[in-house]
Amino acid sequence: MGDRLCRWTALAAALFMLGLGVPVSAMAKPKRISGRLSEPGYTVIALAANGTARTVRAPKDRFALRPPAKSVTLQLRAPDGSYGGPIVLGGREHGKRAVVGVWAGAKLGLIKVRAARGYAKVSHPRKSAIDARRQARARRGIPIGAGKFGLVRSKPPKHPSRSDLDFDGVPDSLDIDIDGDLVLDDYDRQTNGKRTSRRARAAAVGGTFPDGSHMTLSTAINGFGKIVNVNGGSTDTQIAAAQRDGGELDVLWIGIDRNSGELDCGTLVYCSAGGTGRLDPGNVLRSAAQPFPECCDPDGDGFGSLTLWSGGPPGGPQVESMHLWHGSTIDQIHAGDVLILRATVNGGPTEFASSVGYVFSTLSAPASYSDGQGDASAFSYSSDPPAGPPNVRPGPDGRLALTFAMWRPQRPRIAGEPGEIVGEPADSEWIDVGNLQYGVAVDLPNREGQAPNFCPQGTVSTADANPSLMPSSPWSGPYPNGAGLEDHSADRPSNPENTFTYSVDVTGCLAAGGLSVSPEERLRVGFYAFAPSATGTGLSFAAFGKEFLVQP
């Protein structure tokens, strides 16, 4: 009886591991997949259905790698570090389906890289190499997400794939829009007017990954006095300087063995050797931060170790993260850049590939302000700020209240994005970012040690429908106990007329922190735009503070 129970237990465990797509050490390892690319310098990524990967760089043209499972799809990272698209093995239904499944042990021969179209195709695939069960929507045999990093309209099928929710040919870990609704994942909290589906949320946090382990990426920008906004007249030169000095890349991970992770950035200048990246251990300006990966590469292989910076939100997934000052301009960091995490999970070697969803390049900035007492001004960000802060004064009742008309922050238009202006380079076009959450804070900068106080419920109001006041503060980040506003507007081309307004009871906000402001004292208002993901495992933000002088 005991032997029979052991046999059944072992069989159940093996079946469970196979169901996850996780190789079992006692089983034979999958045979290597080999091929020859028509262009050199690419990294080949073999992705299992559960999101785990194996990667190999092909500096010339030939490659061979042992896949993480018996059946995989093959993806490419281009020589410049961007997502190069899926490798296609064939077509179905008169080109409306592309076959992307590859069996372990496949000898693929010549693979023609179509760099301009964002995919590659096996020239003469053998039938034994093709797993025809793994397909994608296509046009003329080309996956519809190819060349667009997955930012394409594509409704998830009735029975979605474990690795490609919207069936567009771009796997979820590399897709910047996994549910095909044309809203970037980094701030997609709704689908067709409803809360994001459980399936989409699970994919967003790597719910199909073994043990929940995965990596995600987010970006941020801190103003540090350099207030830039396209609608406010900021030039490309000003924006480049602000992004270089205040731009952040946040690497977040779940479930890997502690101190086991390394980051393979390929040629991406902001996190590869000799590049512009700097490690932010917390509250350190880029000028004082150590170079990454040089700071954190004990084995000298050029891959920086993941350095724990902080944990996850209380009650939510325990996310570990590392913050980098990326030091890059819009021509150096892009949506679709691919980073590879090499780590161990429960002692076994594992790799994950993830892509940058978008890049905050400018700040949410006030277009104008008014204190209701005659002090009002419109703002321009086309030159250096004026020498002195604008005046504000309390009303007859002694309370100070300010009303702001705000511009949304901007990101560069993504290549292939719907509505792209024909003949215009993508980097010269800007998008006002919608679907964000907003918070406001106040502090008194001349009082040493006084931290910003996020304005609580009841001290922020708006007459606008976009954004609207949130009924309660979201999870304990991004603005603890603060009043939040949620924007329901979609992304749109930048336009100075695209503003929203809200009012802040400054006196009440300060009082909530046990403070009051005196005449002739400086008041600083902090403007925050957040892009929390549907599950709270990622947070992009843009933030800066603007000073005002309180008058009697």
Side-chain angles (χ1 to χ4, degrees), residues 391-415:
N391 293 329
V392 294
R393 66 192 73 233
D397 60 356
R399 299 189 69 85
L400 174 61
L402 299 175
T403 297
F404 298 99
M406 300 294 299
W407 284 310
R408 294 166 174 84
Q410 284 100 23
R411 62 170 175 83
R413 185 184 293 274
I414 297 169

Side-chain angles (χ1 to χ4, degrees), residues 295-318:
C295 67
C296 317
D297 184 16
D299 57 7
D301 62 357
F303 303 144
S305 298
L306 297 184
T307 302
L308 180 65
W309 192 86
S310 64
Q318 289 306 293

Side-chain angles (χ1 to χ4, degrees), residues 147-149 151 176 182 184 187 230-231 236 239 243 329-337 356-362 409-433 490-495 498:
K148 301 176 181 178
F149 311 124
L151 184 58
I176 64 177
L182 297 181
L184 296 176
Y187 44 82
V230 173
N231 294 327
D236 285 353
I239 293 170
Q243 183 174 305
T329 56
I330 59 174
D331 59 338
Q332 295 174 317
I333 183 169
H334 316 85
D337 287 352
V356 175
Y358 75 106
V359 179
F360 265 139
S361 293
T362 71
Q410 284 100 23
R411 62 170 175 83
R413 185 184 293 274
I414 297 169
E417 187 169 0
E420 183 173 353
I421 300 174
V422 177
E424 292 290 333
D427 285 347
S428 71
E429 300 168 359
W430 294 96
I431 297 295
D432 287 342
V433 180
D491 291 358
R492 67 185 76 176
S494 59
N495 187 324
N498 182 22

Side-chain angles (χ1 to χ4, degrees), residues 421-467:
I421 300 174
V422 177
E424 292 290 333
D427 285 347
S428 71
E429 300 168 359
W430 294 96
I431 297 295
D432 287 342
V433 180
N435 297 289
L436 300 179
Q437 294 177 4
Y438 293 88
V440 60
V442 295
D443 71 309
L444 305 172
N446 292 338
R447 298 191 189 182
E448 186 176 352
Q450 197 266 304
N453 180 52
F454 278 101
C455 296
Q457 296 285 337
T459 63
V460 178
S461 60
T462 181
D464 267 354
N466 287 318

Side-chain angles (χ1 to χ4, degrees), residues 74-77 82-87 118-120 146-147 169-170:
L74 297 179
Q75 313 295 325
L76 294 177
R77 180 171 69 179
S82 64
Y83 176 52
I87 293 179
Y119 79 106
V170 180

Side-chain angles (χ1 to χ4, degrees), residues 131-508:
D131 180 0
R133 301 171 303 172
R134 305 187 71 170
Q135 300 183 17
R137 286 195 184 99
R139 295 186 183 93
R140 298 181 180 179
I142 304 172
I144 60 174
K148 301 176 181 178
F149 311 124
L151 184 58
V152 62
R153 179 76 67 184
S154 184
K155 184 179 180 180
K158 184 176 181 180
H159 301 289
S161 164
R162 292 176 63 195
S163 59
D164 183 7
L165 177 67
D166 60 1
F167 204 49
D168 65 353
V170 180
D172 292 342
S173 60
L174 298 173
D175 196 333
I176 64 177
D177 174 23
I178 64 171
D179 58 359
D181 63 353
L182 297 181
V183 179
L184 296 176
D185 292 334
D186 284 356
Y187 44 82
D188 186 357
R189 298 182 304 281
Q190 297 186 3
T191 302
N192 297 326
K194 301 178 181 179
R195 300 305 298 178
T196 305
S197 70
R198 286 179 292 178
R199 179 63 184 83
R201 291 171 60 196
V205 298
T208 59
F209 287 37
D211 304 318
S213 56
H214 75 293
M215 173 180 71
T216 58
L217 306 169
S218 60
T219 65
I221 185 169
N222 282 288
F224 296 124
K226 294 182 178 179
I227 306 173
V228 289
N229 191 281
V230 173
N231 294 327
S234 297
T235 65
D236 285 353
T237 300
Q238 289 174 307
I239 293 170
Q243 183 174 305
R244 183 177 58 245
D245 293 343
E248 292 186 35
L249 174 71
D250 297 337
V251 184
L252 306 97
W253 62 93
I254 293 177
I256 71 170
D257 298 345
R258 182 62 63 90
N259 300 323
S260 71
E262 287 189 328
L263 200 61
D264 174 1
C265 293
T267 59
L268 295 171
V269 69
Y270 48 86
C271 53
S272 59
T276 60
R278 300 291 185 270
L279 178 67
D280 175 16
N283 300 317
V284 173
L285 295 180
R286 181 176 180 273
S287 58
Q290 293 181 295
F292 182 91
E294 291 86 344
C295 67
C296 317
D297 184 16
D299 57 7
D301 62 357
F303 303 144
S305 298
L306 297 184
T307 302
L308 180 65
W309 192 86
S310 64
Q318 289 306 293
V319 183
E320 297 178 310
S321 62
M322 178 179 70
H323 297 198
L324 300 176
W325 297 113
H326 62 65
S328 298
T329 56
I330 59 174
D331 59 338
Q332 295 174 317
I333 183 169
H334 316 85
D337 287 352
V338 175
L339 282 70
I340 297 167
L341 165 60
R342 294 192 174 95
T344 61
V345 174
N346 295 328
T350 308
E351 296 181 53
F352 305 107
S354 188
S355 63
V356 175
Y358 75 106
V359 179
F360 265 139
S361 293
T362 71
L363 302 151
S364 177
S368 63
Y369 88 100
S370 171
D371 63 5
Q373 309 304 316
D375 296 300
S377 178
F379 296 112
S380 170
Y381 306 104
S382 59
S383 59
D384 293 333
N391 293 329
V392 294
R393 66 192 73 233
D397 60 356
R399 299 189 69 85
L400 174 61
L402 299 175
T403 297
F404 298 99
M406 300 294 299
W407 284 310
R408 294 166 174 84
Q410 284 100 23
R411 62 170 175 83
R413 185 184 293 274
I414 297 169
E417 187 169 0
E420 183 173 353
I421 300 174
V422 177
E424 292 290 333
D427 285 347
S428 71
E429 300 168 359
W430 294 96
I431 297 295
D432 287 342
V433 180
N435 297 289
L436 300 179
Q437 294 177 4
Y438 293 88
V440 60
V442 295
D443 71 309
L444 305 172
N446 292 338
R447 298 191 189 182
E448 186 176 352
Q450 197 266 304
N453 180 52
F454 278 101
C455 296
Q457 296 285 337
T459 63
V460 178
S461 60
T462 181
D464 267 354
N466 287 318
S468 61
L469 280 172
M470 300 174 68
S472 62
S473 188
W475 52 268
S476 57
Y479 30 95
N481 304 313
L485 299 109
E486 186 167 29
D487 191 7
H488 308 285
S489 298
D491 291 358
R492 67 185 76 176
S494 59
N495 187 324
E497 301 300 318
N498 182 22
T499 62
F500 62 89
T501 61
Y502 61 78
S503 299
V504 181
D505 175 2
V506 175
T507 300

